[in-house]
Amino acid sequence: MASHGIPNPFPYPTPAHTPPHESNIPLTVLVSSRAVIYDQDNNLIVSPATLSISPQTGTILSILPTILPASSFPPNTTYIDHSPHLLLPGLVDAHVHLNEPGRTEWEGFNTGTRAAASGGVTTVIDMPLNAIPPTTTVSGLQEKIKAAQGQCWVDVGFYGGVIPGNAHELLPLVEAGVRGFKGFLIESGVDEFPAVSSSDVALAMTTLANSPTTLMFHAEMIPPITDSVGDDVQVSQPPLSPSGPLTSYSTFLSSRPPAFETYAIEEVLSLAHLAPNLPLHIVHLSAIQAIPLLREARERGVKITAETCFHYLALTSEDVADGDTRHKCCPPIRNSINRTGLWNELSHPDSVIRTIVSDHSPCTPELKLLPEHLGHGCGASHATEIVGVNGEVLTKEEAEEKEKGDFFASWGGISSVGLGLPILWTEITSRSSTAKTPLTITDVVRLCAVNTSKQVGLSHRKGALRPGLDADICVFDDQAEFTVGREQMLFRNKVSPYQGKKMKGVVKETWVRGQQVYERGGENGGFVGKGGVPVGRLLHERRKV
């Protein structure tokens, strides 16, 4: 088919590569006055665009940097003009805890991926812990794959875990298709995923040194001199001499200072020479004091990157009310100066923070120990027995004896999968008039799609609007606003610090491999694709890069 005399300055196939006008092969065409695509110099730009998609292969056939009318295509073409809304590549959330099998009362593949789809996330990578069994063996991965079959609304990949004694499982897990590995330098809070020592880290590095993977770390360690005994990521004993009430966030924050992060990162960097070609990655970076360490290491040639999370960019310690354990996570949400520092680093031309993720880490309402006035509407159970983090069974009376609002005894984790795009866009727009180098929608795509897909070895399929890649598309209304209520939180347990907050930016539609899976306001709660049946695939082919 001719290109209608329109010059094509971009290195894309034009619609000449789509079926001829008389073709009976069905075609889907999405157009908009604004789409985030690449220009001829491989820079992300906002441009008018016509995307031609093959429903058969689920891939993008061609992109033209202009809007072609419906009359340019065969009569049986599905043609949708989304102007003036933005067409974005589907986000790749590279840090999600879906907890299935074993802790499906916390989350599950079905509910977690539904929430992801509603927020324009088309791929999630599931963390190796909080499910039982964890993904620390090939058999554990197989159990997880079995549990996920037929349940996922978006595509799902899996990380492997590094724990003491499982070094012999790491290369088989690479062959089985995990997208990377994660280890904890401090106790994780779940019995089946213990922390690794320096010798464990060294062994993992040398084992994986020449493999196509990424080795990631929860980078917190207790420095040699500290008054904190916060030695557990999720639930810990309070310090022997706490700085204040255990229901005060400032007490919790002071027990996990930035030194926890810098000390752990220094430990990782001290071992990096053992595997100079192995990409290393720091998950959920919180403390800005770690940034110079990472920058200096990168300047020395160490292959290390970091991610931060939506909550570190949107929330501050000053705003956390007494007892509001919805804000508890580790590393902790820090003060507004720290938050500004993270935003400044994201604007740096060679930022050490390469990705932004959710670190969606949910639990049941009971484990958050929310006070009555904050727990209303969270869906707390009326069961006579409560199951603890590590399977211990408490009577309702025993559970009620725990102090509500205790930041040390409550589960640490923020629930936000599917809310990340509006969280980020709300913050970007609010800062646009004061930031020295304000971020734009192309930065969102770079940080939440392009770079996250690269981090997990999926750039050949995911993370960008390019011909040949999966047609994973988010239709985003960047002007609309909404307030986060229960109906916007599609994850299993409606416990989130974002509840009640006003957001800017609404996901109108989500397409996974050329199939519309979500339409805001559509039938079946918006899940309109394939008669309300999940279409997500499991991504467990061996990683190549």
Side-chain angles (χ1 to χ4, degrees):
M1 189 170 71
S3 60
H4 305 273
I6 300 170
N8 180 25
F10 297 169
Y12 301 138
T14 72
H17 291 261
T18 60
H21 200 275
E22 64 275 9
S23 171
N24 291 322
I25 300 173
L27 186 69
T28 299
V29 174
L30 304 184
V31 306
S32 179
S33 57
R34 297 186 301 153
V36 176
I37 59 176
Y38 285 91
D39 68 9
Q40 58 190 350
D41 297 317
N42 209 36
N43 296 313
L44 286 168
I45 62 167
V46 178
S47 166
T50 298
L51 278 62
S52 299
I53 298 165
S54 167
Q56 287 76 30
T57 65
T59 58
I60 299 172
L61 293 170
S62 63
I63 299 176
L64 191 67
T66 190
I67 295 179
L68 291 182
S71 59
S72 300
F73 299 92
N76 61 344
T77 297
T78 299
Y79 180 97
I80 306 173
D81 187 345
H82 285 291
S83 302
H85 302 325
L86 283 156
L87 297 182
L88 310 177
L91 305 192
V92 177
D93 192 340
H95 192 146
V96 176
H97 295 266
L98 293 174
N99 304 337
E100 188 173 1
R103 290 190 176 96
T104 49
E105 70 273 18
W106 296 13
E107 193 62 274
F109 287 107
N110 190 289
T111 51
T113 59
R114 275 173 67 94
S118 72
V121 176
T122 52
T123 304
V124 301
I125 312 299
D126 181 46
M127 278 290 161
L129 71 159
N130 298 352
I132 302 174
T135 318
T136 52
T137 63
V138 172
S139 62
L141 174 63
Q142 291 169 344
E143 285 294 313
K144 189 165 279 192
I145 289 171
K146 181 180 177 182
Q149 294 287 354
Q151 289 212 71
C152 300
W153 295 88
V154 302
D155 291 351
V156 176
F158 305 95
Y159 288 121
V162 178
I163 61 172
N166 84 324
H168 64 286
E169 291 277 358
L170 302 184
L171 292 180
L173 280 165
V174 171
E175 295 300 317
V178 298
R179 311 312 307 175
F181 291 89
K182 179 184 182 183
F184 276 68
L185 298 175
I186 196 168
E187 288 303 327
S188 73
V190 292
D191 291 345
E192 66 277 0
F193 206 96
V196 289
S197 66
S198 294
S199 59
D200 295 321
V201 173
L203 183 55
M205 285 184 175
T206 54
T207 301
L208 296 170
N210 298 307
S211 296
T213 194
T214 302
L215 182 56
M216 309 183 300
F217 299 94
H218 180 121
E220 285 186 295
M221 292 178 72
I222 300 175
I225 301 173
T226 176
D227 62 357
S228 170
V229 293
D231 55 353
D232 193 315
V233 168
Q234 308 302 354
V235 178
S236 65
Q237 296 297 316
L240 294 177
S241 300
S243 61
L246 304 186
T247 56
S248 170
Y249 187 76
S250 62
T251 307
F252 171 69
L253 180 59
S254 67
S255 78
R256 299 188 91 92
F260 270 43
E261 294 187 67
T262 56
Y263 185 56
I265 289 171
E266 287 170 343
E267 183 73 13
V268 171
L269 293 175
S270 74
L271 299 168
H273 67 279
L274 297 173
N277 296 317
L278 177 64
L280 307 175
H281 183 73
I282 303 301
V283 299
H284 47 52
L285 182 74
S286 166
I288 57 174
Q289 289 84 349
I291 291 171
L293 297 175
L294 293 168
R295 176 161 290 116
E296 192 273 335
R298 286 174 57 82
E299 290 171 352
R300 286 189 284 110
V302 178
K303 290 188 172 182
I304 191 164
T305 56
E307 70 192 28
T308 194
C309 302
F310 303 120
H311 42 274
Y312 300 132
L313 296 169
L315 306 173
T316 64
S317 58
E318 296 96 325
D319 295 330
V320 181
D322 286 353
D324 194 350
T325 54
R326 293 175 299 182
H327 293 79
K328 182 191 174 180
C329 60
C330 297
I333 294 163
R334 303 192 188 277
N335 63 24
S336 57
I337 295 173
N338 190 87
R339 178 177 67 173
T340 298
L342 292 174
W343 280 104
N344 290 342
E345 176 62 19
L346 289 171
S347 300
H348 193 282
D350 189 30
S351 175
V352 302
I353 302 175
R354 294 305 177 97
T355 54
I356 305 175
V357 296
S358 70
D359 186 14
H360 175 69
S361 185
C363 67
T364 58
E366 291 80 10
L367 296 179
K368 270 296 186 184
L369 300 180
L370 278 171
E372 186 69 29
H373 69 286
L374 293 173
H376 180 70
C378 287
S381 170
H382 298 291
T384 56
E385 293 182 334
I386 306 298
V387 179
V389 171
N390 290 302
E392 66 277 18
V393 177
L394 305 176
T395 66
K396 195 164 188 179
E397 291 73 22
E398 289 172 327
E400 287 174 352
E401 288 177 5
K402 292 179 177 286
E403 184 177 9
K404 300 299 183 183
D406 183 336
F407 280 99
F408 293 87
S410 65
W411 172 263
I414 304 287
S415 294
S416 66
V417 68
L419 296 175
L421 181 54
I423 291 168
L424 203 55
W425 191 241
T426 300
E427 290 298 314
I428 286 173
T429 53
S430 70
R431 292 170 175 273
S432 60
S433 61
T434 57
K436 187 179 298 185
T437 309
L439 300 188
T440 68
I441 195 65
T442 59
D443 294 305
V444 173
V445 168
R446 173 176 56 85
L447 292 160
C448 300
V450 176
N451 289 358
T452 45
S453 65
K454 181 180 179 182
Q455 177 187 317
V456 297
L458 286 172
S459 293
H460 63 296
R461 293 182 58 182
K462 306 287 186 183
L465 299 181
R466 288 187 188 272
L469 270 59
D470 288 350
D472 295 344
I473 298 163
C474 166
V475 182
F476 185 55
D477 182 347
D478 58 334
Q479 296 300 314
E481 297 181 338
F482 72 100
T483 299
V484 179
R486 285 180 60 85
E487 63 277 9
Q488 279 80 37
M489 297 186 290
L490 299 189
F491 34 85
R492 185 180 299 278
N493 293 292
K494 318 304 181 187
V495 184
S496 174
Y498 299 107
Q499 186 167 9
K501 294 188 182 297
K502 189 175 183 179
M503 298 288 176
K504 185 165 188 178
V506 169
V507 172
K508 306 293 286 186
E509 295 182 16
T510 303
W511 295 63
V512 176
R513 285 174 285 97
Q515 299 179 71
Q516 186 189 39
V517 297
Y518 176 78
E519 179 182 5
R520 187 176 177 89
E523 61 184 10
N524 193 35
F527 292 87
V528 296
K530 239 183 175 182
V533 176
V535 301
R537 292 179 182 171
L538 306 183
L539 307 172
H540 51 86
E541 74 278 7
R542 186 182 187 275
R543 181 172 169 172
K544 294 183 173 60
V545 293

